[in-house]
Amino acid sequence: MSDAVTVTNRDGVAVITLQSPPVNGLGFAVRTGLQAAIEAATSDDAVDALVVTGSGKMFSGGADISEFGQPPPPGTPHLPTVIDTIEASEKPVVAAIHGFALGGGLELALGCHVRLAAAGTRVALPEVTLGIVPGAGGTQRLPRLIGIPAALDVIVSGNMVPATRARTLGILDDVVDGDVVEAAVRRARQMVREGTPIRRASALEDRLAETRGKPEIFAEFRQTMSRRARGFEAPYACVDCIEAAANLPYAEGTAREREIFVRLLASDQSKAQRHAFFAERQVAKIPDVPKDTPLLPVKTAAVIGCGTMGGGIAMNFASAGIPVTVFEVSQEALDKGLAIIAKNYAATVAKGRLSQEEMDTRLGLISTTVSYDDLADADVVIEAVFEDMDLKKEVFGKLDTACKPDAILASNTSTLDVDEIASATRRPDKVIGTHFFSPANVMKLMENVRGAASSAQTIATIMKLSKTIGKVGVLVGICDGFVGNRMLYAYRRQADFLLEEGALPHQIDTVIYDFGMPMGPYAMGDLAGLDVGWRIRQRQAATRPAHLRYSTVADRICELGRFGQKTNAGWFRYEPGSRTPIPDPVVNDLVSQISAENGFTRRQVSDQEILERCMYPLVNEGAKILEEGLAPRASDIDVVWMYGYGFPRYRGGPMFWADLVGVKTIYDVMSRLHDEHGDYWLEPAPLLKRLAEQGKGFGDLDVVASFPWGSGPSPV
Ligand code: 3H9
């Protein structure tokens, strides 16, 4: 037998155990070992029944995703073949499941004749999140076990199903306390003793009868998921497979599933979604912060400021069960902030996603103070005051005095230099940036900004904390706008230039929305409010470099008192109470007028030009960020964009998408655009040029050479 699968004979029951840490992925070696073990056991007279189980933390996390696309060694069986062999066994086969049975792991269990799970087990078919469909019979066996409506829900969502619900649905036969392998061996012996007929999922038909020949059920399901699944191929492919299960004999249904699986596996969407899966896991690995760096325990936290950001940040702690003290300068500000927190939680309760009891527990974890003295015990303090360097330094000076010496002091700055903030303390090694995105209780991204002095322990603790409070933390270096907003700026300014040259807000927004972003730049601006940026630009006007092109369009919109949704008018107009942007002739006329004032003869701007002109500079800025050592991996930048800005996961983030487009193509277009417009932000990054010349992509880069990071030079 192979090392990846072991077999022990327990009084006539062969216990076949997957031995492939960390998740018992069903890679080449496991499949070969499993097939051999099944064949040996089914033909061994000393074996009456089989139990299939997994070693370590779980039954199986499914197919080994890292092997997708690689040719298997000769003789390696496909997973569907292994599972069919199991199901065909004349001897009873019981799955003993603990931890997780996911994807191919659950499909393996569905091929067994009985499924027992330890309490606390979770099962799922999450293939859809990887841009594929379950490809080892899952879309055909599951509907036969639990019926079409439940199978649509489980397979198209990819969500985890807790053991108890899985039992109710019929995915599992029993949930057992105690040793699940022991229970499975007992069940197998009982089946042999009693001659229990073998129940094969592929042979069940009765649950399908009610949906057979009813295309309207599937049409309606496709309709209801259209918003959630916008742009994604896999959810629709899952429905196609399940519809095949309803209407076709099992063998034809599996053939259809296989065909769809193979097609999607080779698709750019699946490549992108698999990249996203690994990128999310890579991001936690910091090249110069060892994995075993001792962490500071975070048992209590404090947040300075209870405005929109501070309140949202405090909610994250409370929701994760960490007591948090919120500081404000006045009781009035605290009361106001707390009322908003309570209102936010109440909205979740109203939607049925949180119990009243849990809401009360969370609110009970939030205490308030107007005195720095009450922050002495906090393990981590996150400052979320107004974005002003002098104010932040004053706060950090006070925190340094009030907080215990080993407390970490973090700033939720989105623009300021963390090193300068740290200089206001005697513990710069314990100072770091934690840039939350708005709304902070909802958005999953945290850009954790390392200062020059931030210690490995501080970094490791904050990265872990991000995970604890349900966020995805990405470590970035200090520069203007950090990773996300710096790239956003490069994209946003080209959009305004395109307006001057001939495009209209509605056209640009449509192109960006159709690309897959949640909304275009102008609808986004209206949602966020236009006045704050306007005030910042007014302050910066005197120091703005004269040689850089500047578009006044955004300022002129604000001069009309149009600040976005809050004034029912911005780049678009809004009906009172509605958030739907409506193109406004007033804006279109203003844009034309500005074109004329600046000597532009308005021209037809194509959708392709909009896409290239907005997205390529964004990628280009990402290349500069990499070269400056402000993010260690291109895939980290992808995570920033997927979680902070809703970059479509099926495109894998901007850097992965750039590789799909071709770095050379992007370089060529950037060079042309730079020649045509001369704008600084259109100048191809040296890294983009090098990769283009070498015929490589960002995926070919290892962790960037300029590591360890320093403060990057100003982009201008
Ligand atoms: C499938 O099954 C297709 C079939 O339908 C058809 C076939 C014909 N493969 O997440 P963690 C790695 S598609 C390869 O940090 P946790 C992961 O990258 C598959 N590697 O641990 C990480 O590596 P590293 C459907 C995998 O305890 C390490 O394991 N299945 C796989 O927080 C630990 O992972 C899924 O989509 C894999 N399948 O969570 C399940 N899974 O240490 C995907 C994990 O080098 N997996 N790795 O960074 C998960 O959801 C979680 O990993 C799991 C464990 C819940 C299992």
Side-chain angles (χ1 to χ4, degrees):
M1 216 57 36
S2 84
D3 291 345
V5 175
T6 56
V7 185
T8 51
N9 189 321
R10 293 202 202 175
D11 285 339
V13 178
V15 177
I16 300 172
T17 308
L18 311 181
Q19 306 271 9
S20 185
V23 302
N24 290 321
L26 302 166
F28 305 141
V30 172
R31 297 202 308 267
T32 305
L34 193 52
Q35 179 77 11
I38 302 293
E39 284 173 5
T42 46
S43 57
D44 183 347
D45 290 342
V47 171
D48 301 320
L50 293 74
V51 165
V52 179
T53 190
S55 62
K57 285 198 302 187
M58 67 190 76
F59 180 78
S60 172
D64 187 333
I65 308 163
S66 62
E67 286 181 359
F68 280 172
Q70 288 179 36
T76 308
H78 286 308
L79 187 58
T81 309
V82 180
I83 296 173
D84 287 348
T85 310
I86 291 176
E87 197 186 46
S89 166
E90 295 300 331
K91 299 175 184 177
V93 187
V94 181
I97 308 170
H98 73 290
F100 294 98
L102 306 179
L106 178 57
E107 292 174 297
L108 171 64
L110 296 179
C112 297
H113 307 141
V114 173
R115 284 157 293 282
L116 303 188
T121 297
R122 288 191 286 170
V123 304
L125 290 174
E127 283 86 344
V128 69
T129 63
L130 299 169
I132 52 177
V133 297
T139 65
Q140 306 302 301
R141 288 194 177 94
L142 193 70
R144 286 174 161 78
L145 279 167
I146 68 174
I148 294 288
L152 281 169
D153 181 35
V154 170
I155 295 174
V156 176
S157 74
N159 286 344
M160 295 280 182
V161 186
T164 41
R165 182 163 150 69
R167 166 75 191 87
T168 311
L169 286 174
I171 302 175
L172 297 173
D173 294 281
D174 262 320
V175 181
V176 300
D177 291 322
D179 186 334
V180 69
V181 177
E182 265 310 313
V185 170
R186 275 199 306 276
R187 175 68 72 98
R189 284 207 191 101
Q190 182 192 4
M191 288 175 77
V192 173
R193 206 170 48 241
E194 296 176 0
T196 314
I198 284 174
R199 181 173 178 257
R200 296 185 175 87
S202 66
L204 305 175
E205 288 295 317
D206 51 326
R207 300 296 307 260
L208 302 179
E210 69 214 39
T211 39
R212 190 152 282 160
K214 291 197 180 147
E216 63 278 9
I217 292 179
F218 299 94
E220 195 187 317
F221 193 85
R222 287 186 186 95
Q223 187 58 37
T224 55
M225 74 187 207
S226 61
R227 236 179 101 105
R228 219 173 358 125
R230 180 174 72 94
F232 286 90
E233 290 168 17
Y236 293 96
C238 287
V239 180
D240 293 347
C241 289
I242 299 167
E243 189 164 13
N247 295 321
L248 299 176
Y250 178 78
E252 284 176 43
T254 41
R256 179 110 180 85
E257 177 197 84
R258 185 82 199 155
E259 177 197 313
I260 293 176
F261 172 79
V262 169
R263 177 169 56 80
L264 288 194
L265 195 62
S267 70
D268 284 348
Q269 288 211 353
S270 175
K271 285 180 197 149
Q273 289 175 250
R274 272 139 51 197
H275 165 78
F277 175 85
F278 287 114
E280 271 166 41
R281 282 155 180 84
Q282 282 292 104
V283 85
K285 295 171 192 151
I286 313 299
D288 62 341
V289 176
K291 206 173 151 200
D292 53 3
T293 303
L295 304 178
L296 286 169
V298 180
K299 297 206 180 75
T300 59
V303 177
I304 310 301
C306 199
T308 317
M309 286 311 278
I313 296 168
M315 287 176 76
N316 292 323
F317 285 106
S319 301
I322 300 173
V324 56
T325 306
V326 183
F327 171 95
E328 258 295 353
V329 281
S330 71
Q331 189 58 44
E332 196 192 342
L334 281 173
D335 293 344
K336 209 171 136 199
L338 267 190
I340 294 172
I341 291 176
K343 199 173 134 210
N344 285 340
Y345 275 136
T348 316
V349 171
K351 286 183 200 144
R353 294 212 300 260
L354 187 74
S355 69
Q356 183 61 47
E357 197 187 350
E358 181 57 22
M359 167 173 161
D360 296 342
T361 308
R362 292 182 187 188
L363 285 176
L365 287 170
I366 303 175
S367 52
T368 58
T369 184
V370 290
S371 162
Y372 277 91
D373 297 341
D374 290 333
L375 309 178
D377 291 335
D379 297 311
V380 165
V381 183
I382 301 199
E383 161 279 308
V385 302
F386 188 68
E387 197 74 345
D388 176 275
M389 181 56 89
D390 290 340
L391 176 63
K392 298 228 182 217
K393 283 167 89 169
E394 186 192 322
V395 169
F396 270 72
K398 286 182 180 160
L399 287 173
D400 195 32
T401 309
C403 297
K404 61 185 179 185
D406 58 352
I408 292 177
L409 308 181
S411 172
N412 176 47
T413 178
S414 56
T415 49
L416 300 176
D417 183 343
V418 175
D419 287 339
E420 192 176 341
I421 297 174
S423 72
T425 73
R426 287 155 300 169
R427 58 176 101 187
D429 59 312
K430 296 210 158 46
V431 175
I432 192 164
T434 48
H435 178 206
F436 289 81
F437 284 63
S438 184
N441 55 316
V442 176
M443 294 297 287
K444 297 260 286 178
L445 179 66
M446 263 173 89
E447 272 185 333
N448 296 330
V449 189
R450 75 187 285 172
S454 305
S455 70
Q457 185 172 58
T458 301
I459 291 170
T461 303
I462 289 297
M463 290 299 284
K464 173 76 192 335
L465 180 65
S466 300
K467 204 170 174 186
T468 309
I469 61 174
K471 304 287 170 192
V472 179
V474 182
L475 195 64
V476 303
I478 298 174
C479 66
D480 204 2
F482 308 130
V483 168
N485 283 344
R486 178 169 156 184
M487 290 168 72
L488 182 74
Y489 181 68
Y491 138 96
R492 200 44 199 77
R493 60 186 269 117
Q494 295 303 323
D496 285 1
F497 296 158
L498 284 166
L499 292 184
E500 290 179 337
E501 292 167 33
L504 288 171
H506 174 66
Q507 187 196 1
I508 294 179
D509 270 16
T510 304
V511 170
I512 299 299
Y513 179 79
D514 288 347
F515 176 77
M517 300 294 286
M519 55 184 95
Y522 296 109
M524 173 66 105
D526 280 355
L527 175 69
L530 305 177
D531 45 334
V532 177
W534 183 38
R535 284 205 192 93
I536 294 174
R537 290 196 298 278
Q538 282 171 328
R539 277 205 301 275
Q540 292 170 339
T543 54
R544 187 174 301 130
H547 64 282
L548 287 181
R549 181 173 169 186
Y550 180 79
S551 168
T552 55
V553 189
D555 298 340
R556 298 278 291 273
I557 296 277
C558 289
E559 282 164 21
L560 298 177
R562 303 175 68 113
F563 297 150
Q565 285 190 16
K566 57 185 161 189
T567 55
N568 286 333
W571 292 102
F572 300 100
R573 69 179 184 83
Y574 298 84
E575 293 295 337
S578 161
R579 290 168 168 256
T580 308
I582 305 167
D584 191 339
V586 175
V587 173
N588 297 353
D589 289 348
L590 178 69
V591 167
S592 299
Q593 189 189 324
I594 294 170
S595 301
E597 286 169 12
N598 291 311
F600 289 102
T601 308
R602 289 182 69 76
R603 63 186 169 86
Q604 189 73 36
V605 176
S606 73
D607 290 355
Q608 180 65 17
E609 179 178 354
I610 291 174
L611 192 67
E612 292 176 349
R613 190 86 177 264
C614 291
M615 287 298 173
Y616 291 3
L618 186 150
V619 169
N620 193 51
E621 206 58 30
K624 291 183 194 164
I625 283 169
L626 274 179
E627 194 143 58
E628 289 168 26
L630 300 167
R633 284 164 292 248
S635 61
D636 288 22
I637 297 178
D638 288 333
V639 174
V640 164
W641 271 82
M642 284 186 285
Y643 283 101
Y645 302 85
F647 198 96
R649 198 175 171 87
Y650 58 79
R651 297 196 194 276
M655 310 314 278
F656 185 83
W657 174 71
D659 281 359
L660 287 178
V661 171
V663 168
K664 169 129 182 24
T665 303
I666 296 183
Y667 170 72
D668 289 346
V669 173
M670 288 298 295
S671 302
R672 179 175 49 76
L673 289 174
H674 188 241
D675 289 347
E676 276 170 25
H677 301 278
D679 186 43
Y680 167 83
W681 266 268
L682 294 175
E683 187 178 349
L687 176 62
L688 194 74
K689 183 169 192 278
R690 271 205 313 281
L691 288 175
E693 284 167 357
Q694 293 166 3
K696 289 186 174 166
F698 293 105
D700 296 316
L701 293 171
D702 281 334
V703 169
V704 284
S706 54
F707 222 78
W709 329 353
S711 298
S714 162
V716 184

